[in-house]
Coordinates of all heavy atoms in Angstrom, one line a residue:
G57 N 6.9 -13.1 1.6 CA 6.9 -12.6 3.0 C 8.3 -12.8 3.7 O 8.5 -12.3 4.8
L58 N 9.2 -13.5 3.1 CA 10.5 -13.8 3.7 C 11.5 -12.7 3.4 O 12.6 -12.8 3.9 CB 11.0 -15.1 3.2 CG 10.3 -16.3 3.6 CD1 10.9 -17.6 3.0 CD2 10.3 -16.5 5.1
V59 N 11.1 -11.7 2.7 CA 12.1 -10.6 2.4 C 12.6 -10.0 3.7 O 11.9 -9.7 4.6 CB 11.4 -9.5 1.6 CG1 12.3 -8.3 1.4 CG2 10.9 -10.0 0.2
G60 N 13.9 -10.0 3.8 CA 14.6 -9.5 4.9 C 14.9 -10.5 6.0 O 15.7 -10.3 6.9
A61 N 14.4 -11.7 5.9 CA 14.6 -12.8 6.9 C 16.0 -13.3 6.6 O 16.4 -13.6 5.5 CB 13.6 -13.9 6.7
A62 N 16.8 -13.5 7.7 CA 18.2 -14.1 7.6 C 18.1 -15.6 7.2 O 19.0 -16.0 6.5 CB 18.9 -13.9 8.9
S63 N 17.1 -16.3 7.7 CA 17.0 -17.7 7.3 C 15.5 -18.1 7.5 O 14.8 -17.4 8.1 CB 17.9 -18.6 8.2 OG 17.5 -18.5 9.5
A64 N 15.2 -19.2 6.9 CA 13.8 -19.8 7.0 C 13.9 -21.3 6.9 O 14.8 -21.8 6.3 CB 12.9 -19.1 6.0
Q65 N 12.8 -21.9 7.4 CA 12.7 -23.4 7.3 C 11.3 -23.6 6.8 O 10.3 -22.9 7.1 CB 12.8 -24.1 8.6 CG 14.2 -23.9 9.2 CD 14.2 -24.5 10.6 OE1 13.2 -24.5 11.4 NE2 15.4 -24.9 11.0
L66 N 11.1 -24.6 5.9 CA 9.9 -25.1 5.4 C 9.6 -26.5 5.9 O 10.6 -27.2 6.0 CB 9.8 -25.1 3.9 CG 9.9 -23.8 3.1 CD1 10.2 -24.1 1.6 CD2 8.6 -23.1 3.2
R67 N 8.4 -26.8 6.3 CA 8.1 -28.1 6.6 C 6.8 -28.5 6.0 O 5.9 -27.7 5.7 CB 8.0 -28.3 8.1 CG 6.8 -27.8 8.8 CD 6.9 -28.2 10.3 NE 5.8 -27.6 11.1 CZ 5.7 -27.6 12.4 NH1 6.6 -28.2 13.1 NH2 4.7 -27.1 13.0
F68 N 6.7 -29.8 5.7 CA 5.5 -30.4 5.1 C 4.8 -31.2 6.1 O 5.5 -32.2 6.7 CB 5.9 -31.3 3.9 CG 6.6 -30.5 2.8 CD1 7.9 -30.2 2.8 CD2 5.8 -30.0 1.7 CE1 8.5 -29.5 1.8 CE2 6.4 -29.3 0.7 CZ 7.8 -29.0 0.8
R69 N 3.6 -30.9 6.5 CA 2.9 -31.5 7.6 C 1.7 -32.3 7.2 O 0.8 -31.7 6.5 CB 2.6 -30.4 8.6 CG 2.1 -31.0 9.9 CD 2.0 -29.9 10.9 NE 1.8 -30.5 12.2 CZ 1.3 -29.8 13.2 NH1 1.0 -28.5 13.1 NH2 1.1 -30.4 14.4
Y70 N 1.6 -33.5 7.5 CA 0.5 -34.4 7.2 C -0.1 -34.8 8.5 O 0.5 -35.4 9.3 CB 0.9 -35.6 6.4 CG -0.2 -36.6 6.1 CD1 -1.2 -36.3 5.3 CD2 -0.1 -37.8 6.7 CE1 -2.2 -37.2 5.0 CE2 -1.1 -38.8 6.5 CZ -2.1 -38.5 5.7 OH -3.1 -39.4 5.4
Q71 N -1.4 -34.5 8.7 CA -2.1 -35.0 9.9 C -3.2 -35.9 9.5 O -4.1 -35.6 8.7 CB -2.7 -33.8 10.7 CG -1.6 -32.9 11.2 CD -2.1 -31.6 11.9 OE1 -2.8 -30.8 11.2 NE2 -1.8 -31.5 13.2
S72 N -3.2 -37.1 10.1 CA -4.1 -38.1 9.6 C -5.1 -38.6 10.7 O -4.7 -38.8 11.9 CB -3.3 -39.3 9.2 OG -4.1 -40.4 8.8
Q73 N -6.3 -38.9 10.3 CA -7.3 -39.5 11.1 C -7.4 -41.0 10.8 O -7.8 -41.8 11.6 CB -8.7 -38.8 11.0 CG -8.7 -37.4 11.3 CD -8.4 -37.1 12.8 OE1 -8.9 -37.8 13.6 NE2 -7.6 -36.1 13.1
R74 N -7.1 -41.3 9.5 CA -7.3 -42.6 9.0 C -6.1 -43.2 8.2 O -6.3 -44.2 7.5 CB -8.6 -42.6 8.1 CG -9.8 -42.2 8.8 CD -11.0 -42.5 8.0 NE -12.2 -42.0 8.8 CZ -13.4 -42.4 8.5 NH1 -13.6 -43.1 7.4 NH2 -14.4 -41.9 9.2
D75 N -5.0 -42.5 8.3 CA -3.8 -43.0 7.7 C -3.8 -43.2 6.2 O -3.5 -44.3 5.7 CB -3.3 -44.3 8.4 CG -3.0 -44.1 9.8 OD1 -2.6 -43.0 10.2 OD2 -3.3 -45.0 10.6

Side-chain angles (χ1 to χ4, degrees):
L58 293 176
V59 172
S63 65
Q65 298 172 333
L66 291 168
R67 74 177 176 186
F68 298 83
R69 190 169 188 200
Y70 173 71
Q71 295 177 297
S72 178
Q73 301 294 317
R74 299 190 181 194
D75 297 328

